[in-house]
Amino acid sequence: MSIPAVEESWARIEAWLARHAPVSRARLRPPAAVEEIRAAERELGLMFPPDLVASLRCHDGTEPGEGAPELAYYGPPARVADIVRHTAMLRDIGTDPDGLDGDENELGAYWRQEWLLITLGADGQASDGLFLTGRPGPGHGRVGHSRTEDAPVFSPWSSLRHLLADFAEALEEGRPFAGRVPAGVDGVLRWEDDRSVVPDPVSPLALAAQAAEPEPPTPGEPAASRAPAPAEDRGAGPRLTFVRVAPPRPQPLPDQPDLVFAEGLTPAELLSRLGAIPATVRPRSRPHAEHAAASPWAAHRPMVRAGTTGGWAYAAQEEGAAQLVRPEVLRAVSEGTRAVALTRQGPEVRRTVVADGVPDEEAARLVVSPRENVASVPDRKLARRLGVDPWPGSTAAYSRLLAELEGEFGIRYRPRDDADTGLTSALLLPLLDDLPDPASGPAGEVRGFDLAALVDRTPPERLRRACAAQLRRLAAETGIDAYPEIADALARIGRTERDGFDAGEHMGPDAAAKPGLGLGDPLDLRIRTLAAETWAARRSVREEAGPVGAEDLSAWIAREGAAQALRAFVLLPVPVAAEWILSRRLSARWREELAADLGEGGPQPAAGSVNS
């Protein structure tokens, strides 16, 4: 199939912008003068490819400012003056390697002398835009992408003529261009990510369920006590013997885990409030807990051990993402009693006192110590074993604050005393983060959409129905509607819609129990499980361990986000929850679908256009 001429593609682009994005159409500049183009060629010392000359003779780029039409995330077309200025700037930065044969050599420099920058890049960052190759011969006029933080790459377009034809077609048919879908919104050309996720991502927790928990490690025989291997008999005669003298082994640092104490609770009650997974409860020593938590069986979930001291139950976190500094966790632990937490995160040591969910600000303590050791060991436990302490001030502060607990609260505890004791322990399914304060109100804008105006002009009942419809679409496109707990919650929301619930209010504490969002209820457990899947997938991808890949991680992030949007819809006023829902939609058609859900009249928008 023949590719349309540059002039034909620009005519189609102009026509679409005039109909659906007139503000962006007005940002297109008049044609560049031939004399200006020839002067630019002389200044840069190379001939512009014919497609670039033809394009500049249609429009000399765009006027900067809000609404300037962009080529997806490559930015708006550059003016002749922009091409000269930014190309010269990048020439000063880049260097050329010897040889030009093949893509690998041509892309081996940050910038080449014969490249011409033709767009202004994402967010006006010129070094992240598109360029054309200006050297004679094969590949003349080929389109590449200069990337600020990575090596340049060639694009799928063999020429600017090819690129503009695809751009025009994307506008007319609402098709993806460079992975994004165009939309005309309030007279401006905007771009939406056309996302999707793998329908059945690899589950880190399912893999963990197939693995067995490792048994306690067997302490190895100290290296110093091992008998030397017998020397090989090489006959009589003089021998040269080397003796290795090891420096004194440093003393390991003291155990200083994050701790929480709850007055009057049993260890089992404390573990339950922390979110312990019942199937993982068993006695473990500290080495056993650390060994188990580092195995595939744990799937990067936090591990805690619990015991008693005086009239207090305590929990020590041995592994995993910090839990005992989180306000939602301390609120759950202190319900009907009081709790004291002592946590250490690098240079920061914090003591927190909470009575029945209310923090006691006067009893709080915070010590931040300067770094006093230049040694850097990435693994915290390895640093502890090697005796490397970047923050000795924090180590001393932790010990001091721990000792003070006995005088102030009657709590006497030393981490080393229970290290080898088989305390009741478990993996945690972490509690959910707090939602934002409803009093903050809805966001004014989401993804370039005027949410505040929508809330102002839409009757509450209609807004609620539309957001519920958007929530069902989000659940379907992420796949979370396959979970029975979520399907049940969506069905309950549908019944509430029919009862005419006021969209300006949230369901309140009594209604929260209906969809199962109380602590430990089915929906709560499902959302917490999705959060654990996401965390485990992120750690697996970061460590490049196991079969979990980047696509799986993206799917779990989308699923968790959709489930959190459902939670927000239940617990927050609908105008506030709308931001959670709309910001997480995957389909690039969400604006059109929202207009349909709102029942807004008027003709159906053309492909790629939406009037909000």
Side-chain angles (χ1 to χ4, degrees), residues 283-540:
R284 295 179 182 88
S285 65
R286 176 162 292 126
H288 182 189
E290 293 176 352
H291 183 58
S295 70
W297 166 81
H300 301 286
R301 289 168 288 186
M303 169 73 78
V304 295
R305 301 166 64 239
T308 57
T309 175
W312 298 73
Y314 70 87
Q317 181 165 348
E318 309 297 350
E319 282 289 345
Q323 297 297 303
L324 308 185
V325 294
R326 298 175 57 202
E328 46 277 307
V329 172
L330 294 178
R331 188 168 55 250
V333 167
S334 67
E335 183 178 355
T337 183
R338 60 175 176 165
V340 180
L342 180 63
T343 60
R344 180 183 179 189
Q345 305 296 322
E348 181 179 289
V349 179
R350 183 184 299 271
R351 187 185 81 176
T352 310
V353 181
V354 185
D356 200 12
V358 180
D360 183 346
E361 301 297 342
E362 293 185 358
R365 301 286 186 272
L366 173 64
V367 179
V368 180
S369 299
R371 189 180 184 96
E372 300 177 30
N373 191 326
V374 297
S376 176
V377 180
D379 187 324
R380 183 169 63 93
K381 286 188 164 40
L382 175 60
R384 192 181 73 196
R385 290 195 300 269
L386 296 178
V388 177
D389 192 355
W391 294 285
S394 297
T395 302
Y398 180 101
S399 299
R400 183 178 71 255
L401 291 177
L402 185 60
E404 291 175 359
L405 295 183
E406 184 172 3
E408 295 186 45
F409 302 96
I411 297 172
R412 188 184 187 284
Y413 174 74
R414 301 295 180 268
R416 65 178 179 274
D417 294 342
D418 69 7
D420 298 324
T421 304
L423 297 180
T424 303
S425 59
L427 293 176
L428 303 184
L429 194 60
L431 306 186
L432 296 173
D433 291 336
D434 286 336
L435 290 170
D437 185 355
S440 61
E445 185 178 288
V446 55
R447 297 169 71 173
F449 179 81
D450 193 344
L451 181 58
L454 173 67
V455 172
D456 288 342
R457 73 171 184 262
T458 307
E461 297 82 3
R462 183 186 298 176
L463 179 63
R464 176 178 172 79
R465 287 194 297 269
C467 287
Q470 286 287 301
L471 182 60
R472 288 191 293 271
R473 296 176 191 274
L474 174 61
E477 64 192 7
T478 56
I480 64 169
D481 57 350
Y483 297 115
E485 307 88 350
I486 291 178
D488 178 67
L490 292 171
R492 290 169 186 250
I493 288 171
R495 289 194 291 272
T496 304
E497 288 177 59
R498 291 190 293 274
D499 293 338
F501 194 83
D502 185 356
E505 302 290 337
H506 61 87
M507 291 185 174
D510 294 335
K514 294 179 182 178
L517 270 174
L519 185 61
D521 283 344
L523 183 58
D524 169 72
L525 290 174
R526 173 56 61 190
I527 300 176
R528 288 162 59 194
T529 300
L530 289 171
E533 295 272 23
T534 301
W535 175 260
R538 182 176 285 111
R539 293 295 300 271
S540 296

Side-chain angles (χ1 to χ4, degrees), residues 222-263:
S225 66
R226 295 176 189 154
E232 182 181 354
D233 185 5
R234 295 180 180 273
R239 295 178 183 176
L240 179 64
T241 302
F242 293 92
V243 178
R244 177 177 295 173
V245 179
R249 177 172 297 182
Q251 292 297 314
L253 300 178
D255 289 331
Q256 294 190 333
D258 285 356
L259 301 166
V260 66
F261 303 86
E263 190 172 24

